[in-house]
């Protein structure tokens, strides 16, 4: 039987990191499809890494530590044996503050984290594997991430604000109005947003709406699909089916008939408050 636990990061990191979470299970505890989203997941495997790949493709063994920052494409995760990992859930728009690379180079890719953070990351991965519990691993991750933040935190605070508005207010936010709020042209806003986050504001909003709709459907499985989709700003049933199929490759009724939930779709701690932490 699989088991999942979470813990909050240090207070200084919470604008950038939603949580640390762990998962343990065996080959009989299949992981679900990892759907497109606006944040990122940084995985550290404690045991044998899972397999991952595009739906329908032959999966490959994941690196010992890897970053998934996928806005457009789903990813299948397969546990073919005993699997254990700890993951850093990076908030929407926050990855740019934690690395030196242009974010456009990291989007829609599954990358060996050593290619981004080098030998320091490899040493951290080894120490996490040697550490016994999630609280101790969280302290190691806190120190490392605070160091990254001190080294790489970027300017353009309006991008952080825009990402939050587009994510949490995706139904009511218009891109023209948002650019006007920052007193810049829409063209300049779009160029700056793509430079800093690797996608356009329109693409970000579209993905945020999809991700939150799917998350809410997982968290409230008895909800009526169309009603919840309309609540998130889809125009009608055909609009939601078209968007869902574009992201997932199948219709929503078929997907939810066999889909498995996981911590990828847990409630946002920003929305739920600080919650309870097992520290």
């Amino acid at each position: 039987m699989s088991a999942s636990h979470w813990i909050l990061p240090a207070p200084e990191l919470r604008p950038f990191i939603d949580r640390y979470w762990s998962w343990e299970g065996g080959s009989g505890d299949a992981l679900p499809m990892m759907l497109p989203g606006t944040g990122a997941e940084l995985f550290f495997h404690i045991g044998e890494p899972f397999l991952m790949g595009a739906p329908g493709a032959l999966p490959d063994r994941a690196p010992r530590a890897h970053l998934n920052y996928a806005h457009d494409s789903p990813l299948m995760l397969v546990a073919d044996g005993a699997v254990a990992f700890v993951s850093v859930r990076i908030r929407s728009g926050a990855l740019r503050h934690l690395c030196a690379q242009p974010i456009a180079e990291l989007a829609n890719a599954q990358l060996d984290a050593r290619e981004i953070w080098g030998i320091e990351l490899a040493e951290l991965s080894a120490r996490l594997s040697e550490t016994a519990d999630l609280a101790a691993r969280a302290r190691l991750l806190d120190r490392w991430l605070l160091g990254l933040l001190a080294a790489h935190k970027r300017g353009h605070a309006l991008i952080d604000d825009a990402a939050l508005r587009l994510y949490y207010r995706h139904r009511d936010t218009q891109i023209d109005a948002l650019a006007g709020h920052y007193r810049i042209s829409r063209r300049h806003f779009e160029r700056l947003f793509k430079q800093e986050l690797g996608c356009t504001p329109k693409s970000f909003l579209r993905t945020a709406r999809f991700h939150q709709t799917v998350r809410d459907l997982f968290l409230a499985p008895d909800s009526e699909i169309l009603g919840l989709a309309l609540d998130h700003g889809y125009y009608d049933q055909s609009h939601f089916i078209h968007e869902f199929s574009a992201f997932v490759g199948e219709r929503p009724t078929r997907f939810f008939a066999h889909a498995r939930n996981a911590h990828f779709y847990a409630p946002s701690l920003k929305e739920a408050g600080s919650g309870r932490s097992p520290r």
Side-chain angles (χ1 to χ4, degrees):
M1 179 178 291
S2 63
S4 181
H5 305 280
W6 63 267
I7 191 168
L8 289 170
E12 308 95 299
L13 287 167
R14 292 178 195 173
F16 311 95
I17 306 298
D18 180 74
R19 71 188 77 191
Y20 309 131
W21 64 283
S22 65
W23 191 90
E24 296 181 15
S27 56
D29 301 310
L31 285 162
M33 183 184 292
M34 188 173 180
L35 299 174
T38 54
E41 293 278 350
L42 175 58
F43 291 93
F44 294 90
H45 290 274
I46 308 304
E48 184 72 7
F50 50 58
L51 301 171
M52 64 181 185
L58 189 65
D60 295 318
R61 185 74 59 191
R64 179 65 57 183
H66 57 100
L67 177 75
N68 287 16
Y69 183 49
H71 280 291
D72 300 327
S73 304
L75 186 68
M76 295 298 298
L77 309 180
V78 181
D80 62 341
V83 170
F85 62 76
V86 59
S87 179
V88 179
R89 172 156 300 169
I90 302 171
R91 291 190 184 278
S92 297
L95 181 60
R96 71 192 190 98
H97 295 298
L98 301 171
C99 63
Q101 289 86 343
I103 298 304
E105 296 180 3
L106 308 180
N108 294 312
Q110 293 78 52
L111 300 169
D112 188 326
R114 292 173 299 180
E115 298 176 12
I116 306 170
W117 291 288
I119 188 64
E120 185 180 356
L121 183 284
E123 292 172 351
L124 172 65
S125 182
R127 293 187 67 190
L128 290 170
S129 296
E130 296 165 358
T131 304
D133 61 85
L134 184 57
R137 288 169 182 158
R139 290 190 289 272
L140 289 173
L141 289 166
D142 280 347
R143 288 195 291 271
W144 179 65
L145 289 164
L146 286 168
L148 292 182
L149 193 60
H152 301 299
K153 191 172 189 302
R154 306 188 191 190
H156 299 305
L158 72 87
I159 296 299
D160 297 322
D161 183 71
L164 289 174
R165 288 172 182 266
L166 290 169
Y167 187 81
Y168 289 106
R169 306 177 192 173
H170 54 273
R171 180 172 182 175
D172 305 316
T173 300
Q174 301 296 319
I175 294 171
D176 282 330
L178 195 55
H181 173 76
Y182 301 123
R183 300 184 180 181
I184 57 178
S185 69
R186 173 168 177 154
R187 184 176 180 183
H188 179 53
F189 174 58
E190 289 177 331
R191 183 168 58 248
L192 185 61
F193 194 96
K194 187 169 184 178
Q195 171 188 311
E196 293 296 321
L197 296 188
C199 65
T200 65
K202 182 177 180 179
S203 174
F204 185 97
L205 186 151
R206 177 175 175 248
T207 305
R209 178 176 57 202
F210 163 80
H211 186 263
Q212 290 197 61
T213 304
V214 169
R215 184 203 63 190
D216 286 355
L217 286 168
F218 270 125
L219 297 176
D222 294 330
S223 297
E224 196 269 318
I225 292 178
L226 178 59
L228 201 151
L230 294 175
D231 287 345
H232 277 284
Y234 289 100
Y235 304 135
D236 53 28
Q237 183 175 20
S238 62
H239 181 210
F240 177 59
I241 292 173
H242 178 269
E243 290 284 275
F244 191 97
S245 299
F247 277 115
V248 181
E250 61 180 318
R251 294 169 68 92
T253 50
R254 178 177 173 81
F255 174 81
F256 283 104
H258 59 76
R260 298 171 182 266
N261 194 6
H263 209 73
F264 301 122
Y265 313 110
S268 167
L269 298 184
K270 187 175 184 64
E271 292 175 341
S274 60
R276 293 185 63 189
S277 167
R279 270 192 199 278

